[in-house]
Amino acid sequence: MEAQEHQAAATEAPKSGHNEIYDEDGVVLASFLAHIGAAIADRDTLTLKQDVAALHESELGHLLEALQPDQRRSLVELLGTDFDFSALTEVDEAIRLDIVESLPNAQIAQAVQELDSDDAVYILEDLDQEDQDEILAQLPFTERIRLRRSLDYPEESAGRRMQTEFVAVPPFWTVGQTIDYMREDNDLPDSFSQIFVIDPTFRLLGAINLDQILRTRRTVKVEDIMHETRHAIPATMDQEEAAREFEQYDLLSAAVVDENERLVGVLTIDDVVDVIQEEAEEDLMRLGGVGDEELSDTILAASRSRVPWLLVNLFTAFLAASVIGLFDQTIERVVALAVLMPIVAGMGGNAASQTMTVTVRALATKDLDIYNAWRIIRREMGVGFINGIIFAVLIGIVAATWFSDPYLGCIIASAMVINMFVAAVAGILIPLLLDRYGVDPAVASAVFVTAVTDVVGFFAFLGLASLWFGFG
Amino acid sequence: MEAQEHQAAATEAPKSGHNEIYDEDGVVLASFLAHIGAAIADRDTLTLKQDVAALHESELGHLLEALQPDQRRSLVELLGTDFDFSALTEVDEAIRLDIVESLPNAQIAQAVQELDSDDAVYILEDLDQEDQDEILAQLPFTERIRLRRSLDYPEESAGRRMQTEFVAVPPFWTVGQTIDYMREDNDLPDSFSQIFVIDPTFRLLGAINLDQILRTRRTVKVEDIMHETRHAIPATMDQEEAAREFEQYDLLSAAVVDENERLVGVLTIDDVVDVIQEEAEEDLMRLGGVGDEELSDTILAASRSRVPWLLVNLFTAFLAASVIGLFDQTIERVVALAVLMPIVAGMGGNAASQTMTVTVRALATKDLDIYNAWRIIRREMGVGFINGIIFAVLIGIVAATWFSDPYLGCIIASAMVINMFVAAVAGILIPLLLDRYGVDPAVASAVFVTAVTDVVGFFAFLGLASLWFGFG
């Protein structure tokens, strides 16, 4: 998670370095994997240290994910202190826990000291309270206080994701003094793109981008070139909200402040990129009826996480079935209705899911708000009506031909227009209402929308048919 | 798209500046909108210039989106040269085109010169060739050549998104010389986090992060502290691939090089964040059966873009219907089958869409590859089997009770186990196979998967029922 090109690797490895690890699809090369696998089997520490040391943390992460569980643990054990723990921030939670729990707490404590504080917190936060305390107890005082402070902020808050290493100077320093300080102090963060200006109590006064410092003469005071930090992030702010600030204002890094406006850390864009990615992924997963599942979850964990959604859907399925049950005598006389009825319900469901997808996404990105809601609702109704007519005609003709019954064609066509229009309305209004009442539209929309299109689809088609053919 | 806090605004506006524009949900305040609307109606240029000048480009973008089309055009007209064209990179394509096309080309040419080259290209690329040429013709020579070069790269390539302004120095310069050059040259990019080292033919030799320069003594030569640029991005590389490089290696900026390895521009993380966002969104939209739709699309455009997916689904719906048609005589005798059959098909569809969502996302993030495919396939089969048993029991009991027929309960239970298992297999194998054969799994999976779960669901349930009750 370090916002810096991997210099060590760049110097040792040839320019095409990582091309030798991945094939053209970006998958870890089978030959590289076999080579590492053999070295693990032979306990060939020398080869491992040589070939794995040149990897970027994310490359090492991919390697770990591609290995078998026992190979993973052996690799970490064989590398010893040469294992780059920051690679653990790049793998699935289940893999991370498996590796960390296989190691003695003393070794983890040792490794954690080498990490940036944000990476250390990322690894520690998933551990039991007991292990966490034991590891923290073995750290030097300042390190311990820093990590403890981050861990005390709520999960998924800016305080958890921030880096506690930063450069801060007093306002009366000159640019020259600041540059000299950076040249002499060896305790700087690994990389940074901004320095902060603070008062003696650590209260944040402003920030300066590095390029600004480089363009300014040495005699100028920092307070004269600093800009006010409009986007200081409270440590308790949710990481998603912080990510949105970054996105909207194109920030590279932002100061994180505590409840007294005191500077406690810095949040950098590279950490935020992961949050943005996760957030978009969350909507997709929720719309698909899967929660926070990870690929490394076990069968039972995955099964358990998916049952609730299926259960809710089961109720809507029985609801739809009971609508069909109302018309069982009509179906008994005209069995073609049973053959055709899933088409009406299904096409409505598909049309509604199109509208719902657009709506849920627009709500998530805040592109849909009270200013354009009515316009979008009107648009969706228009789309539903036009597409309803198109598919009513198509399906009507096919059904009339199939069962040699023009009346049946007219009935299914009318039902289609009704259901496609209702589908559009449900597809936009349900997510909007859920959002309005504080329910995540990505989680709950699909169930309600399907219930509506199923019920209306069956009711409209079988109802119209019963009016025409009689109720049995 | 400028990777810098908005200094002008920060100085003029109080710290809580943007809180006055948005309500707590991040929506533009109705009072602010009314205020601006009134100023537009009164053609009160002074108020507009004052209140709009303090806005960040993204805030101005949100304001434009919240206004009515005619208000938008008036606002831009009234602001004249005070209108910040970079706000146009923050709005929907339809709105951008509407505004740009309402302006004379001469005014656009004037405005484009004030923009960073990446923003200028972003606005120009959507225009007709003719307008583009006319605008470019009115630009100074170097500006024209730069933009033309970017526009000559393929759409959605790194060359289109790069900024052509950058700082580059020869390898024999010292850190001191470099700093002095930056202090004296007024033609620097607005903000930057890296400087590049090039030979006299502009061939890229390396890069140095600004913090590295600040920590190094003035007498050191840049070639001694530069790092090799492992992640130089070819200008023709697809923007998504470039985004993945940024994500994997936590880059803040990267050199963009032409086919001769000559430095032509720099790609920065703030542009890449938009690409990452779009990419995740694309999968969600495709899974939901909507293409590159935007909220500002017209009814006809939206309708047209959704018809193809519905059309393909229509075929699978008729396929499922014809499976039901095979068993019409059984249904005529046991009408409860018609009532229950959508449950079997629907639950299978829901289970399959869960598996499919996980698979499509894992393929997109490259978390699913040949090394774990078999493990994941086995896991999904396990989940499908377990959830199949759970819901078979539930549905079997309800159906047996509803129709007072234990045999019917057993039949639907058996059909459920079969369909949930098949759903799991289809949900993972279909996206995997599509991906293998170069078809985007997000676009095509849902159709095939639904076809399978519908056909198998109806066939298993009605087939088993026919075996038990007789074929009519």
Side-chain angles (χ1 to χ4, degrees):
Chain A
M1 294 213 187
E2 203 167 285
Q4 189 180 36
E5 298 206 33
H6 195 59
Q7 287 174 247
T11 325
E12 288 158 30
K15 201 178 163 195
S16 57
H18 81 275
N19 292 334
E20 293 161 22
I21 298 162
Y22 298 112
D23 68 13
E24 56 204 0
D25 291 333
V27 176
V28 179
L29 272 175
S31 58
F32 180 69
L33 202 61
H35 166 69
I36 296 292
I40 293 172
D42 296 346
R43 305 189 68 78
D44 179 355
T45 323
L46 198 72
T47 304
L48 288 176
K49 286 192 176 168
Q50 217 162 47
D51 291 355
V52 173
L55 298 181
H56 182 267
E57 60 193 56
S58 65
E59 294 169 339
L60 180 51
H62 285 155
L63 173 63
L64 287 172
E65 292 192 320
L67 290 171
Q68 301 297 321
D70 54 326
Q71 288 182 311
R72 264 176 224 147
R73 288 186 291 261
S74 304
L75 176 64
V76 175
E77 183 211 319
L78 290 168
L79 286 174
T81 53
D82 283 341
F83 175 69
D84 179 0
F85 267 67
S86 59
L88 292 180
T89 63
E90 308 273 345
V91 300
D92 262 14
E93 188 182 337
I95 295 177
R96 179 165 55 248
L97 279 178
D98 179 54
I99 293 177
V100 171
E101 281 165 5
S102 76
L103 295 174
N105 282 340
Q107 189 180 340
I108 300 171
Q110 191 63 43
V112 151
Q113 293 179 50
E114 311 282 315
L115 294 178
D116 284 343
S117 65
D118 53 343
D119 288 351
V121 169
Y122 197 85
I123 292 173
L124 290 176
E125 65 182 356
D126 292 332
L127 300 181
D128 307 336
Q129 192 60 46
E130 202 187 323
D131 284 331
Q132 239 183 52
D133 290 340
E134 204 182 308
I135 293 168
L136 286 174
Q138 299 181 38
L139 295 180
F141 179 75
T142 30
E143 195 88 1
R144 183 164 70 238
I145 297 297
R146 279 182 168 186
L147 294 183
R148 174 56 67 208
R149 184 162 59 182
S150 272
L151 286 165
D152 280 345
Y153 287 113
E155 263 186 72
E156 313 220 313
S157 67
R160 284 280 181 101
R161 293 286 79 80
M162 73 186 179
Q163 207 171 315
T164 51
E165 300 91 0
F166 50 78
V167 181
V169 298
F172 50 83
W173 276 21
T174 63
V175 166
Q177 268 177 300
T178 307
I179 294 180
D180 292 342
Y181 163 73
M182 287 191 271
R183 286 207 183 116
E184 277 147 34
D185 190 344
N186 292 318
D187 206 25
L188 294 179
D190 279 338
S191 78
F192 52 100
S193 59
Q194 232 184 3
I195 68 170
F196 299 102
V197 184
I198 51 172
D199 76 7
T201 64
F202 262 74
R203 204 149 297 161
L204 183 65
L205 302 174
I208 314 176
N209 293 337
L210 291 193
D211 58 296
Q212 190 62 34
I213 294 194
L214 282 167
R215 310 179 209 215
T216 309
R217 312 210 156 268
R218 284 180 66 90
T219 48
V220 177
K221 281 199 175 146
V222 295
E223 63 187 341
D224 296 329
I225 57 164
M226 74 183 188
H227 54 271
E228 263 192 82
T229 47
R230 278 177 86 194
H231 306 290
I233 306 236
T236 50
M237 184 188 264
D238 187 84
Q239 58 178 9
E240 290 190 8
E241 210 180 320
R244 263 197 293 274
E245 285 280 302
F246 269 74
E247 243 182 301
Q248 169 157 16
Y249 296 103
D250 294 328
L251 308 179
L252 288 182
S253 65
V256 180
V257 292
D258 69 8
E259 61 283 10
N260 300 317
E261 297 278 306
R262 268 192 286 261
L263 186 63
V264 289
V266 53
L267 200 61
T268 52
I269 179 79
D270 53 310
D271 298 321
V272 169
V273 163
D274 299 333
V275 175
I276 292 173
Q277 179 91 355
E278 279 164 30
E279 196 187 347
E281 187 164 324
E282 238 173 53
D283 274 348
L284 184 134
M285 300 292 264
R286 286 179 182 163
L287 270 178
V290 278
D292 297 334
E293 228 182 274
E294 297 203 49
L295 266 193
S296 53
D297 282 355
T298 60
I299 292 183
L300 282 180
S303 161
R304 208 170 23 233
S305 88
R306 295 187 201 170
V307 163
W309 197 69
L310 291 174
L311 208 56
V312 180
N313 273 282
L314 183 61
F315 282 99
T316 75
F318 271 111
L319 188 68
S322 62
V323 171
I324 301 173
L326 296 177
F327 303 98
D328 54 353
Q329 293 179 329
T330 315
I331 294 173
E332 216 165 344
R333 291 202 306 114
V334 190
V335 78
L337 298 178
V339 175
L340 293 173
M341 67 185 187
I343 298 177
V344 182
M347 290 299 290
N350 288 327
S353 97
Q354 291 181 322
T355 304
M356 186 182 73
T357 304
V358 173
T359 309
V360 166
R361 189 60 196 153
L363 282 170
T365 55
K366 298 193 183 287
D367 286 336
L368 181 57
D369 54 38
I370 46 166
Y371 299 114
N372 55 10
W374 277 112
R375 191 173 60 74
I376 306 294
I377 292 172
R378 277 199 307 273
R379 186 189 75 157
E380 288 303 325
M381 285 164 63
V383 173
F385 187 71
I386 291 176
N387 287 359
I389 299 277
I390 294 174
F391 285 93
V393 171
L394 275 174
I395 293 171
I397 291 173
V398 175
T401 316
W402 185 356
F403 293 97
S404 316
D405 184 345
Y407 298 112
L408 193 60
C410 291
I411 289 168
I412 198 171
S414 313
M416 275 301 296
V417 174
I418 294 171
N419 204 27
M420 295 280 276
F421 184 75
V422 170
V425 174
I428 185 155
L429 284 190
I430 288 174
L432 275 176
L433 286 175
L434 288 171
D435 185 61
R436 181 71 184 263
Y437 291 104
V439 182
D440 182 348
V443 172
S445 294
V447 171
F448 289 105
V449 168
T450 313
V452 170
T453 54
D454 274 2
V455 166
V456 171
F458 290 131
F459 193 84
F461 179 52
L462 298 176
L464 288 173
S466 297
L467 286 179
W468 178 257
F469 294 109
F471 279 86
Chain B
M1 294 215 187
E2 204 167 283
Q4 191 181 32
E5 298 206 30
H6 195 57
Q7 288 173 248
T11 324
E12 289 158 29
K15 204 180 162 194
S16 57
H18 80 277
N19 292 335
E20 294 163 19
I21 298 163
Y22 298 112
D23 68 13
E24 57 205 358
D25 290 333
V27 176
V28 179
L29 274 175
S31 58
F32 180 69
L33 202 62
H35 167 69
I36 297 292
I40 293 173
D42 297 345
R43 305 189 68 79
D44 178 355
T45 323
L46 199 71
T47 304
L48 288 177
K49 285 193 176 166
Q50 217 163 44
D51 292 354
V52 173
L55 298 181
H56 183 265
E57 60 193 57
S58 64
E59 295 169 339
L60 180 52
H62 286 155
L63 173 64
L64 286 173
E65 292 191 321
L67 290 171
Q68 300 298 321
D70 54 326
Q71 288 182 311
R72 266 176 223 145
R73 288 185 292 260
S74 303
L75 176 64
V76 175
E77 184 210 318
L78 290 168
L79 286 174
T81 54
D82 283 340
F83 175 69
D84 179 0
F85 268 67
S86 59
L88 292 180
T89 64
E90 310 273 345
V91 300
D92 262 14
E93 188 182 337
I95 295 177
R96 180 164 56 247
L97 280 178
D98 179 53
I99 292 177
V100 172
E101 282 166 3
S102 75
L103 296 173
N105 282 339
Q107 189 181 342
I108 300 171
Q110 191 63 40
V112 151
Q113 293 179 50
E114 311 283 317
L115 294 178
D116 284 344
S117 66
D118 52 345
D119 288 351
V121 168
Y122 197 86
I123 292 172
L124 290 176
E125 65 183 356
D126 292 331
L127 301 181
D128 307 337
Q129 192 60 47
E130 203 187 322
D131 285 329
Q132 237 182 54
D133 290 340
E134 203 182 309
I135 293 166
L136 286 174
Q138 299 182 37
L139 296 179
F141 179 75
T142 28
E143 196 87 1
R144 184 164 69 236
I145 297 298
R146 279 183 167 184
L147 295 183
R148 172 58 66 209
R149 184 163 59 181
S150 272
L151 286 165
D152 280 347
Y153 287 113
E155 262 184 72
E156 313 219 314
S157 67
R160 284 280 180 100
R161 294 284 80 79
M162 73 186 179
Q163 205 172 316
T164 51
E165 299 91 1
F166 49 79
V167 181
V169 299
F172 51 81
W173 275 22
T174 63
V175 167
Q177 267 177 299
T178 306
I179 294 180
D180 293 341
Y181 163 73
M182 286 189 272
R183 287 206 183 116
E184 278 146 32
D185 191 344
N186 293 317
D187 206 24
L188 294 179
D190 278 339
S191 77
F192 52 100
S193 59
Q194 233 184 5
I195 66 168
F196 299 102
V197 184
I198 52 170
D199 76 6
T201 65
F202 263 73
R203 205 150 297 162
L204 183 65
L205 301 174
I208 313 175
N209 293 338
L210 291 193
D211 58 296
Q212 191 60 36
I213 294 193
L214 280 168
R215 311 182 210 216
T216 310
R217 313 208 155 269
R218 285 180 65 90
T219 49
V220 176
K221 280 198 175 149
V222 295
E223 63 188 339
D224 296 329
I225 56 164
M226 74 182 187
H227 54 270
E228 262 192 82
T229 46
R230 277 176 87 195
H231 305 290
I233 307 244
T236 51
M237 184 188 264
D238 187 83
Q239 59 179 9
E240 291 189 8
E241 211 179 318
R244 264 197 293 274
E245 287 278 302
F246 269 73
E247 242 182 303
Q248 167 157 18
Y249 296 104
D250 293 328
L251 308 178
L252 288 183
S253 64
V256 179
V257 292
D258 69 8
E259 62 283 9
N260 301 315
E261 297 278 307
R262 268 191 288 260
L263 185 63
V264 289
V266 53
L267 202 60
T268 52
I269 179 79
D270 54 309
D271 298 321
V272 169
V273 163
D274 299 333
V275 175
I276 291 172
Q277 178 92 354
E278 279 165 29
E279 197 186 347
E281 187 164 323
E282 237 174 52
D283 274 348
L284 184 134
M285 299 291 264
R286 286 179 182 162
L287 270 177
V290 277
D292 298 333
E293 229 183 273
E294 298 201 49
L295 266 192
S296 53
D297 281 356
T298 61
I299 293 184
L300 281 180
S303 160
R304 209 169 24 232
S305 87
R306 294 187 200 170
V307 163
W309 196 68
L310 292 174
L311 208 55
V312 180
N313 274 282
L314 183 61
F315 282 99
T316 76
F318 271 111
L319 188 68
S322 61
V323 171
I324 302 172
L326 296 176
F327 303 98
D328 55 353
Q329 291 178 335
T330 314
I331 293 173
E332 217 164 343
R333 290 204 307 115
V334 189
V335 78
L337 299 178
V339 175
L340 293 173
M341 66 186 187
I343 298 177
V344 182
M347 290 300 289
N350 287 328
S353 98
Q354 291 181 322
T355 305
M356 186 181 74
T357 303
V358 173
T359 309
V360 166
R361 189 60 198 154
L363 282 170
T365 55
K366 298 194 184 288
D367 286 336
L368 181 57
D369 53 39
I370 46 167
Y371 299 113
N372 55 9
W374 277 112
R375 189 171 63 72
I376 305 295
I377 292 172
R378 277 199 308 273
R379 185 189 76 158
E380 289 302 326
M381 286 164 63
V383 173
F385 188 71
I386 292 175
N387 287 359
I389 298 278
I390 294 173
F391 285 93
V393 171
L394 275 175
I395 293 171
I397 292 172
V398 176
T401 315
W402 186 355
F403 293 96
S404 317
D405 184 345
Y407 299 112
L408 193 59
C410 291
I411 290 169
I412 196 169
S414 315
M416 274 302 295
V417 175
I418 294 173
N419 203 28
M420 294 280 275
F421 185 75
V422 170
V425 174
I428 184 156
L429 285 190
I430 288 174
L432 275 176
L433 286 175
L434 288 171
D435 185 61
R436 181 73 184 263
Y437 291 105
V439 183
D440 182 347
V443 172
S445 294
V447 170
F448 289 105
V449 169
T450 313
V452 170
T453 54
D454 274 2
V455 166
V456 171
F458 291 131
F459 193 84
F461 179 52
L462 298 175
L464 288 173
S466 297
L467 287 178
W468 178 257
F469 294 109
F471 279 86

